[in-house]
């Protein structure tokens, strides 16, 4: 007995990209849906139950254990602080099961941030992360957020 599988061109391209590079597909799905703020509730599709998050801020590393639930809350905090921000992926590199992503986020200053009262003015943040994918899920990542530029913007916005 022969089985015939009929797929649309887009399905073949999607399945082909998954088969060619599953870690990259997982991370880009996570970035484009969850981290972008478009669908934070879908975090459990991309993240393991417990994810080691190495957060590097101003040269200081902190290890946080993230779950899909608390990551969803984390993104909702971003949405509260910055509104519906734009999220632009600027670079993606992949080697084996590690994926590097660099991005630019543009939102508005809607709540107090680093002691600065909201101004409603635009805020741009730059960041990058390396994600480790195992068995189709993100299990660990190392994130770097550029905060000096954010601080300078907050100071400038509050003065002007």
């Amino acid at each position: 007995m022969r089985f015939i599988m009929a797929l649309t061109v887009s399905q073949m391209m999607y399945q082909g990209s998954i088969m060619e590079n599953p870690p990259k597909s997982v991370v880009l799905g996570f970035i484009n849906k969850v981290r972008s703020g478009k669908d934070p509730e879908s975090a459990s599709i991309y993240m393991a139950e417990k994810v080691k998050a190495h957060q590097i801020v101003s040269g200081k590393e902190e290890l946080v254990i993230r779950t899909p639930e608390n990551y969803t809350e984390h993104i909702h905090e971003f949405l509260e602080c910055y509104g519906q921000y734009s999220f632009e992926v600027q670079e993606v590199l992949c080697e084996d099961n590690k994926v590097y992503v660099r991005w630019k986020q543009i939102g508005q200053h809607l709540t107090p941030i680093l002691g600065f009262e909201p101004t409603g003015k635009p805020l741009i943040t730059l960041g990058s992360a390396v994600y480790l994918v195992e068995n189709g899920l993100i299990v660990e990542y190392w994130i770097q957020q550029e905060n000096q530029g954010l601080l300078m913007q907050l100071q400038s916005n509050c003065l002007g």
Side-chain angles (χ1 to χ4, degrees), residues 55-157:
Q55 300 180 143
I56 301 168
V57 179
S58 301
K60 181 182 173 206
E61 183 178 353
E62 177 182 35
L63 176 64
V64 175
I65 301 300
R66 290 274 186 209
T67 65
E69 295 78 19
N70 73 27
Y71 197 87
T72 296
E73 291 170 14
H74 179 57
I75 297 303
H76 281 289
E77 290 169 3
F78 276 145
L79 291 167
E80 187 178 316
C81 289
Y82 297 103
Q84 191 60 54
Y85 53 87
S86 70
F87 194 82
E88 175 188 327
V89 173
Q90 296 184 319
E91 184 173 25
V92 178
L93 302 171
C94 184
E95 184 175 313
D96 299 324
N97 62 343
K98 287 187 178 175
V99 181
Y100 166 82
V101 182
R102 182 172 49 86
W103 61 80
K104 178 180 186 178
Q105 177 179 310
I106 304 172
Q108 292 182 295
H109 186 187
L110 302 179
T111 63
I113 299 172
L114 300 173
F116 291 90
E117 291 300 313
T119 63
K121 294 182 180 179
L123 288 175
I124 299 171
T125 58
L126 303 173
S128 65
V130 175
Y131 296 90
L132 176 64
V133 177
E134 292 179 353
N135 299 317
L137 296 171
I138 296 168
V139 296
E140 191 168 7
Y141 64 86
W142 296 260
I143 186 168
Q144 297 184 47
Q145 194 71 35
E146 195 284 309
N147 281 340
Q148 184 61 35
L150 175 62
L151 181 59
M152 290 171 61
Q153 291 173 78
L154 290 167
Q155 290 169 339
S156 175
N157 288 351

Side-chain angles (χ1 to χ4, degrees), residues 3-74:
F3 291 95
I4 298 174
M5 182 186 279
L7 298 173
T8 66
V9 171
S10 62
Q11 287 172 319
M12 287 188 289
M13 289 172 56
Y14 177 72
Q15 287 189 350
S17 67
I18 287 176
M19 289 176 179
E20 289 170 22
N21 200 329
K24 184 176 180 182
S25 296
V26 168
V27 170
L28 287 180
F30 173 77
I31 290 293
N32 290 324
K33 288 189 175 185
V34 181
R35 180 59 184 83
S36 69
K38 292 178 183 168
D39 186 12
E41 284 70 28
S42 67
S44 62
I45 295 171
Y46 305 99
M47 297 175 69
E49 288 183 28
K50 292 187 179 182
V51 176
K52 292 180 185 176
H54 304 268
Q55 300 180 143
I56 301 168
V57 179
S58 301
K60 181 182 173 206
E61 183 178 353
E62 177 182 35
L63 176 64
V64 175
I65 301 300
R66 290 274 186 209
T67 65
E69 295 78 19
N70 73 27
Y71 197 87
T72 296
E73 291 170 14
H74 179 57

